[in-house]
Amino acid sequence: MKVVILAGGFGTRISEETHLKPKPLVSIGDQPIIWHIMKIYSNYGYNDFIICLGYKGHIIKEYFSNYYLSQSDVTYDFKNSNQEIIHQHRAEPWKVTLVDTGLDTQTGGRIKRIQKYVGNESFMLTYGDGVSDINIQKAVEFHQSHGKIATVMATQPDGRFGSLEMGENNCITGFQEKPLGDGGWINAGFFIMNPGVFNYIDGDETVLEKSPLEKLAKDGQLMAFKHSGFWYPMDTLKDKNYLESLWKTGSAPWKKW
């Protein structure tokens, strides 16, 4: 199963970092957050990634084009035709497809644009700015068990966020914008989707979190995988510093590898 990562946004709320690089390349420790996200999936054996590029996408391409070399011990023999010898490497077993999905394309539109790379199979989807200790394999098993088009990880942070309305058997029936108080279940941005989701997306202007998810919920085709563990999005510099502190103290909950 392929993993699609949305990595094309402008990241305006963390502009202290994103005026020079795209948000997914903002570092936590000595690696960008997109590396941490990919490691979460790779820990469960999912190593085939499709990354949706937009803002400063060429910098993400440069990162991955140099990744193997940066993780290796290398000898350059300039005397013998500039020969390059790789002695050993510590790179991940990843296959990474980088797709330019447009500068101003909305989240749903980016997903529509990579349809040909996904093919006629189920896929996972997440944003390039959030980490979690979600059990990916259990989420996949849950998705395969209910037969609906889409599954979204639901979690319970404070009342700063909109919440999901759920009926029987965790079937999502609607959405509520930023309820007062704590305890509402929210969309945490880790999805598993069947190819049928592409029928709910019109084009570049489609925002995934609006019409597609709302229609899926109305049709009874969106299920919630409840997660009571750690989840944290990197929206601001304060968020970045918090995740950095967890990583540097060896207490990052998402690090299962």
Side-chain angles (χ1 to χ4, degrees), residues 35 38-39 41-49 64 67-68 71 89-96:
W35 178 90
M38 294 169 74
K39 287 285 285 184
Y41 286 98
S42 185
N43 183 56
Y44 291 93
Y46 297 98
N47 294 302
D48 194 346
F49 298 92
F64 283 105
Y67 182 73
Y68 183 87
Q71 301 298 310
H89 69 86
R90 298 170 294 278
E92 309 299 331
W94 294 341
K95 177 182 177 182
V96 183

Side-chain angles (χ1 to χ4, degrees), residues 157-203:
D158 60 37
R160 295 179 300 155
F161 303 88
S163 67
L164 306 177
E165 298 171 356
M166 284 181 277
E168 293 184 18
N169 300 319
N170 295 340
C171 185
I172 295 173
T173 58
F175 297 82
Q176 182 180 356
E177 286 294 321
K178 298 182 180 179
L180 296 176
D182 300 344
W185 289 93
I186 74 155
N187 163 16
F190 285 78
F191 299 89
I192 305 170
M193 296 176 166
N194 296 342
V197 74
F198 293 114
N199 297 326
Y200 286 79
I201 303 172
D202 294 326

